[in-house]
Amino acid sequence: MTKLPLRPLGQTGISVSPITLGTVKWGRNQGLKFPAFELPDDRTLHALLDLAEEAGINLLDTAPAYGIAEERIGKLLADRAGGSGILVASKAGEEFADGASAFDFSAGHLRASVERSLRRLGREALDVAMIHSRQDDVDVIENTPALETLEALKREGKIRATGFSTMTVEGGLLAAERCDALMVPYNLGYQAHRAVIDRAFALGKGVIVKRGLFSGGTYTAADLPDLIRAVFAVPGATSLAVGTINPAHLRDNAGAVAAALA
Protein backbone atom coordinates (compact mmCIF):
# COMPACT_ATOMS: atom_id res chain seq x y z
CA MET A 1 0.00 0.00 0.00
CA THR A 2 1.31 3.45 -0.91
CA LYS A 3 1.70 5.66 2.13
CA LEU A 4 -0.49 8.74 2.22
CA PRO A 5 1.41 12.05 2.10
CA LEU A 6 1.51 14.17 5.23
CA ARG A 7 -0.03 17.61 5.05
CA PRO A 8 0.56 20.71 7.18
CA LEU A 9 -2.14 21.31 9.78
CA GLY A 10 -2.41 25.02 9.07
CA GLN A 11 0.45 26.96 10.63
CA THR A 12 0.83 24.72 13.68
CA GLY A 13 4.07 23.12 12.51
CA ILE A 14 2.32 19.74 12.83
CA SER A 15 2.07 17.49 9.77
CA VAL A 16 -0.87 15.08 9.64
CA SER A 17 -2.14 12.38 7.34
CA PRO A 18 -5.15 13.11 5.12
CA ILE A 19 -7.03 10.49 7.14
CA THR A 20 -7.61 11.02 10.85
CA LEU A 21 -8.58 7.76 12.56
CA GLY A 22 -11.55 8.40 14.84
CA THR A 23 -11.83 6.33 18.01
CA VAL A 24 -15.34 6.80 19.41
CA LYS A 25 -16.11 3.11 18.69
CA TRP A 26 -12.93 2.09 20.51
CA GLY A 27 -14.40 3.07 23.83
CA ARG A 28 -18.14 3.67 23.66
CA ASN A 29 -21.12 1.80 22.26
CA GLN A 30 -23.99 3.68 23.93
CA GLY A 31 -25.86 6.77 22.80
CA LEU A 32 -24.46 6.63 19.26
CA LYS A 33 -26.29 6.81 15.94
CA PHE A 34 -25.01 3.41 14.86
CA PRO A 35 -26.50 -0.10 14.98
CA ALA A 36 -25.62 -1.96 18.17
CA PHE A 37 -22.05 -3.28 18.26
CA GLU A 38 -19.56 -4.78 20.68
CA LEU A 39 -16.44 -2.84 21.55
CA PRO A 40 -13.48 -4.22 19.58
CA ASP A 41 -10.84 -6.23 21.38
CA ASP A 42 -7.20 -5.19 21.59
CA ARG A 43 -6.20 -7.52 18.76
CA THR A 44 -8.62 -5.76 16.39
CA LEU A 45 -7.36 -2.35 17.42
CA HIS A 46 -3.73 -3.39 16.96
CA ALA A 47 -4.69 -4.59 13.47
CA LEU A 48 -6.19 -1.17 12.77
CA LEU A 49 -3.04 0.51 14.00
CA ASP A 50 -0.90 -1.82 11.89
CA LEU A 51 -2.91 -0.83 8.84
CA ALA A 52 -2.77 2.85 9.79
CA GLU A 53 1.01 2.62 9.99
CA GLU A 54 1.14 0.86 6.62
CA ALA A 55 -1.05 3.56 5.06
CA GLY A 56 0.84 6.46 6.64
CA ILE A 57 -2.06 7.48 8.92
CA ASN A 58 -0.52 9.29 11.88
CA LEU A 59 -3.38 11.05 13.71
CA LEU A 60 -5.92 9.62 16.15
CA ASP A 61 -8.98 11.61 17.17
CA THR A 62 -10.41 10.90 20.61
CA ALA A 63 -12.21 12.54 23.52
CA PRO A 64 -13.22 11.97 27.15
CA ALA A 65 -16.79 11.61 25.84
CA TYR A 66 -15.67 8.53 23.89
CA GLY A 67 -15.96 6.29 26.93
CA ILE A 68 -12.74 4.38 27.63
CA ALA A 69 -11.10 5.28 24.29
CA GLU A 70 -8.35 7.45 25.78
CA GLU A 71 -7.29 4.76 28.26
CA ARG A 72 -7.24 2.16 25.50
CA ILE A 73 -5.17 4.36 23.20
CA GLY A 74 -2.65 4.97 25.95
CA LYS A 75 -2.25 1.24 26.61
CA LEU A 76 -2.20 0.26 22.93
CA LEU A 77 0.45 2.78 22.00
CA ALA A 78 2.55 1.89 25.02
CA ASP A 79 2.51 -1.73 23.83
CA ARG A 80 3.68 -0.85 20.32
CA ALA A 81 7.21 -0.22 19.13
CA GLY A 82 7.21 3.19 17.50
CA GLY A 83 3.92 4.13 19.13
CA SER A 84 5.34 7.55 19.90
CA GLY A 85 5.09 8.39 16.20
CA ILE A 86 1.30 8.53 16.43
CA LEU A 87 -0.20 11.97 17.02
CA VAL A 88 -3.28 12.37 19.20
CA ALA A 89 -6.02 14.99 19.03
CA SER A 90 -8.38 14.98 22.00
CA LYS A 91 -11.12 17.25 23.24
CA ALA A 92 -12.52 18.80 26.40
CA GLY A 93 -15.86 20.17 27.49
CA GLU A 94 -18.14 17.15 27.03
CA GLU A 95 -18.45 14.20 29.39
CA PHE A 96 -20.54 11.09 28.74
CA ALA A 97 -21.84 9.07 31.67
CA ASP A 98 -24.93 7.01 32.44
CA GLY A 99 -26.07 7.24 28.83
CA ALA A 100 -26.08 11.01 28.59
CA SER A 101 -23.75 13.88 27.74
CA ALA A 102 -23.02 16.78 30.05
CA PHE A 103 -21.05 19.91 29.20
CA ASP A 104 -18.76 22.04 31.32
CA PHE A 105 -16.67 24.83 29.81
CA SER A 106 -15.34 26.31 33.02
CA ALA A 107 -11.61 26.91 33.21
CA GLY A 108 -11.24 24.47 36.09
CA HIS A 109 -13.02 21.65 34.33
CA LEU A 110 -11.24 22.13 31.01
CA ARG A 111 -7.84 22.21 32.68
CA ALA A 112 -8.62 19.09 34.72
CA SER A 113 -9.95 17.37 31.60
CA VAL A 114 -6.80 18.00 29.58
CA GLU A 115 -4.57 16.87 32.44
CA ARG A 116 -6.66 13.70 32.84
CA SER A 117 -6.35 13.04 29.09
CA LEU A 118 -2.59 13.36 29.35
CA ARG A 119 -2.50 10.79 32.15
CA ARG A 120 -4.76 8.39 30.29
CA LEU A 121 -2.81 8.71 27.06
CA GLY A 122 0.61 8.63 28.72
CA ARG A 123 1.59 11.90 27.03
CA GLU A 124 3.36 15.03 28.11
CA ALA A 125 1.35 17.13 25.64
CA LEU A 126 -1.69 16.71 23.41
CA ASP A 127 -0.85 17.39 19.79
CA VAL A 128 -4.25 19.05 19.36
CA ALA A 129 -6.81 19.86 22.05
CA MET A 130 -10.25 20.90 20.83
CA ILE A 131 -13.34 22.20 22.57
CA HIS A 132 -16.03 19.52 22.29
CA SER A 133 -18.85 21.98 21.86
CA ARG A 134 -22.57 21.69 22.33
CA GLN A 135 -24.98 23.05 19.71
CA ASP A 136 -24.84 26.67 20.95
CA ASP A 137 -21.18 27.03 20.03
CA VAL A 138 -21.40 30.82 19.59
CA ASP A 139 -22.33 31.13 23.27
CA VAL A 140 -19.50 28.77 24.24
CA ILE A 141 -17.00 30.94 22.36
CA GLU A 142 -18.30 34.31 23.49
CA ASN A 143 -19.45 33.65 27.05
CA THR A 144 -17.19 30.97 28.50
CA PRO A 145 -13.41 30.88 29.14
CA ALA A 146 -13.03 27.83 26.89
CA LEU A 147 -10.65 29.17 24.26
CA GLU A 148 -8.70 31.30 26.72
CA THR A 149 -8.13 28.18 28.82
CA LEU A 150 -6.79 26.24 25.84
CA GLU A 151 -4.45 29.10 25.02
CA ALA A 152 -3.15 29.09 28.60
CA LEU A 153 -2.54 25.33 28.43
CA LYS A 154 -0.71 25.81 25.14
CA ARG A 155 1.58 28.41 26.71
CA GLU A 156 2.29 25.91 29.49
CA GLY A 157 3.31 23.26 26.95
CA LYS A 158 0.46 20.88 27.73
CA ILE A 159 -1.01 21.17 24.24
CA ARG A 160 0.67 21.94 20.92
CA ALA A 161 -2.32 23.34 19.03
CA THR A 162 -5.75 24.64 20.04
CA GLY A 163 -8.92 23.67 18.26
CA PHE A 164 -12.70 23.71 18.20
CA SER A 165 -15.18 21.08 16.99
CA THR A 166 -17.83 23.25 15.39
CA MET A 167 -21.58 22.83 15.34
CA THR A 168 -22.89 25.95 13.54
CA VAL A 169 -21.52 28.01 10.68
CA GLU A 170 -21.55 31.12 12.86
CA GLY A 171 -19.61 29.38 15.60
CA GLY A 172 -17.16 27.94 13.10
CA LEU A 173 -16.42 31.37 11.65
CA LEU A 174 -15.76 32.75 15.13
CA ALA A 175 -13.56 29.79 16.07
CA ALA A 176 -11.52 30.14 12.88
CA GLU A 177 -10.36 33.54 14.09
CA ARG A 178 -9.13 32.23 17.42
CA CYS A 179 -8.00 28.61 17.09
CA ASP A 180 -5.14 26.82 15.37
CA ALA A 181 -7.39 24.13 13.90
CA LEU A 182 -11.05 23.25 13.48
CA MET A 183 -13.15 20.13 13.16
CA VAL A 184 -15.91 20.91 10.67
CA PRO A 185 -18.88 18.92 9.29
CA TYR A 186 -18.85 18.68 5.50
CA ASN A 187 -19.87 16.08 2.94
CA LEU A 188 -21.35 15.59 -0.49
CA GLY A 189 -24.86 16.21 0.82
CA TYR A 190 -24.11 18.92 3.41
CA GLN A 191 -21.92 21.85 2.43
CA ALA A 192 -23.13 24.74 4.60
CA HIS A 193 -19.80 24.75 6.44
CA ARG A 194 -17.84 25.40 3.24
CA ALA A 195 -17.69 29.05 4.32
CA VAL A 196 -15.96 27.97 7.55
CA ILE A 197 -13.41 25.84 5.72
CA ASP A 198 -12.70 28.65 3.27
CA ARG A 199 -12.24 31.16 6.08
CA ALA A 200 -9.95 28.81 8.01
CA PHE A 201 -7.89 28.24 4.87
CA ALA A 202 -7.56 31.99 4.29
CA LEU A 203 -6.33 32.39 7.87
CA GLY A 204 -3.83 29.53 7.63
CA LYS A 205 -5.77 27.28 10.01
CA GLY A 206 -5.97 23.50 9.76
CA VAL A 207 -9.28 21.74 9.15
CA ILE A 208 -10.24 18.17 10.02
CA VAL A 209 -13.48 17.27 8.25
CA LYS A 210 -16.00 15.29 10.30
CA ARG A 211 -19.10 13.50 8.95
CA GLY A 212 -17.48 13.37 5.52
CA LEU A 213 -18.80 9.81 5.14
CA PHE A 214 -22.17 10.68 6.69
CA SER A 215 -21.00 9.55 10.14
CA GLY A 216 -21.15 5.93 9.07
CA GLY A 217 -24.53 6.41 7.38
CA THR A 218 -25.80 4.55 4.37
CA TYR A 219 -23.58 4.54 1.32
CA THR A 220 -22.18 1.87 -0.94
CA ALA A 221 -18.60 1.04 -1.85
CA ALA A 222 -19.33 2.56 -5.24
CA ASP A 223 -20.19 5.88 -3.52
CA LEU A 224 -16.93 6.07 -1.58
CA PRO A 225 -14.75 7.71 -4.27
CA ASP A 226 -17.30 10.48 -4.85
CA LEU A 227 -17.72 11.11 -1.12
CA ILE A 228 -13.98 11.44 -0.60
CA ARG A 229 -13.38 13.52 -3.72
CA ALA A 230 -16.05 15.95 -2.49
CA VAL A 231 -14.06 16.53 0.70
CA PHE A 232 -10.64 16.95 -0.87
CA ALA A 233 -11.95 19.15 -3.67
CA VAL A 234 -12.07 21.85 -0.98
CA PRO A 235 -8.60 23.44 -0.73
CA GLY A 236 -8.82 24.01 3.00
CA ALA A 237 -9.65 20.41 3.95
CA THR A 238 -6.52 19.06 5.65
CA SER A 239 -7.71 15.67 6.84
CA LEU A 240 -10.85 13.50 6.85
CA ALA A 241 -11.91 11.87 10.11
CA VAL A 242 -12.83 8.21 9.58
CA GLY A 243 -14.26 6.40 12.59
CA THR A 244 -14.14 2.77 11.53
CA ILE A 245 -13.24 -0.31 13.57
CA ASN A 246 -13.11 -2.51 10.46
CA PRO A 247 -9.61 -2.87 8.97
CA ALA A 248 -11.06 -3.63 5.52
CA HIS A 249 -13.05 -0.40 5.59
CA LEU A 250 -9.97 1.56 6.63
CA ARG A 251 -7.98 0.03 3.79
CA ASP A 252 -10.74 1.00 1.33
CA ASN A 253 -10.85 4.53 2.73
CA ALA A 254 -7.08 4.93 2.48
CA GLY A 255 -7.11 3.74 -1.12
CA ALA A 256 -9.91 6.15 -2.03
CA VAL A 257 -8.12 9.07 -0.38
CA ALA A 258 -4.86 8.21 -2.18
CA ALA A 259 -6.75 8.17 -5.49
CA ALA A 260 -8.47 11.48 -4.74
CA LEU A 261 -5.13 13.15 -3.98
CA ALA A 262 -3.25 11.65 -6.94
Side-chain angles (χ1 to χ4, degrees):
M1 178 183 295
T2 302
K3 286 201 174 186
L4 296 168
L6 297 184
R7 300 150 67 88
L9 185 65
Q11 299 175 350
T12 62
I14 300 169
S15 294
V16 302
S17 49
I19 287 179
T20 296
L21 182 53
T23 65
V24 63
K25 290 184 177 180
W26 295 26
R28 172 178 159 189
N29 57 6
Q30 298 179 358
L32 300 174
K33 296 179 181 178
F34 303 115
F37 66 95
E38 295 293 326
L39 293 180
D41 59 22
D42 285 356
R43 178 178 298 180
T44 298
L45 295 183
H46 274 301
L48 278 170
L49 290 169
D50 288 342
L51 180 55
E53 182 179 351
E54 181 184 353
I57 297 168
N58 75 336
L59 180 61
L60 302 180
D61 169 64
T62 192
Y66 294 176
I68 60 173
E70 287 184 322
E71 293 99 323
R72 298 195 76 184
I73 291 168
K75 180 179 182 299
L76 289 162
L77 295 185
D79 289 343
R80 295 175 64 86
S84 59
I86 295 289
L87 306 179
V88 179
S90 194
K91 306 181 188 75
E94 180 181 355
E95 303 285 334
F96 183 83
D98 301 322
S101 287
F103 296 90
D104 188 340
F105 303 104
S106 66
H109 174 78
L110 294 175
R111 178 174 288 276
S113 179
V114 168
E115 292 174 346
R116 180 186 61 192
S117 293
L118 293 175
R119 291 193 299 272
R120 289 173 170 176
L121 292 162
R123 300 252 159 165
E124 293 185 359
L126 294 176
D127 296 292
V128 184
M130 293 193 172
I131 295 300
H132 210 170
S133 186
R134 60 191 181 212
Q135 187 64 36
D136 56 342
D137 52 5
V138 172
D139 181 66
V140 173
I141 293 168
E142 294 185 335
N143 297 310
T144 78
L147 294 183
E148 291 87 350
T149 303
L150 291 191
E151 284 294 339
L153 289 164
K154 181 181 174 182
R155 290 193 296 272
E156 295 168 20
K158 294 180 179 178
I159 62 179
R160 297 175 63 194
T162 65
F164 199 95
S165 183
T166 69
M167 301 295 285
T168 69
V169 172
E170 296 77 11
L173 292 171
L174 286 174
E177 303 287 335
R178 299 181 56 186
C179 296
D180 299 319
L182 302 178
M183 183 168 272
V184 175
Y186 186 87
N187 58 55
L188 189 59
Y190 174 81
Q191 300 186 1
H193 274 71
R194 173 64 187 264
V196 177
I197 300 174
D198 289 345
R199 182 58 179 158
F201 184 57
L203 294 169
K205 308 301 177 70
V207 173
I208 298 171
V209 173
K210 59 182 177 179
R211 304 175 197 163
L213 302 181
F214 302 135
S215 295
T218 302
Y219 64 89
T220 68
D223 298 325
L224 187 61
D226 287 339
L227 292 172
I228 287 178
R229 279 196 296 266
V231 170
F232 289 104
V234 183
T238 309
S239 186
L240 170 64
V242 173
T244 185
I245 53 175
N246 184 322
H249 289 169
L250 185 59
R251 183 178 293 276
D252 290 345
N253 292 335
V257 169
L261 295 177

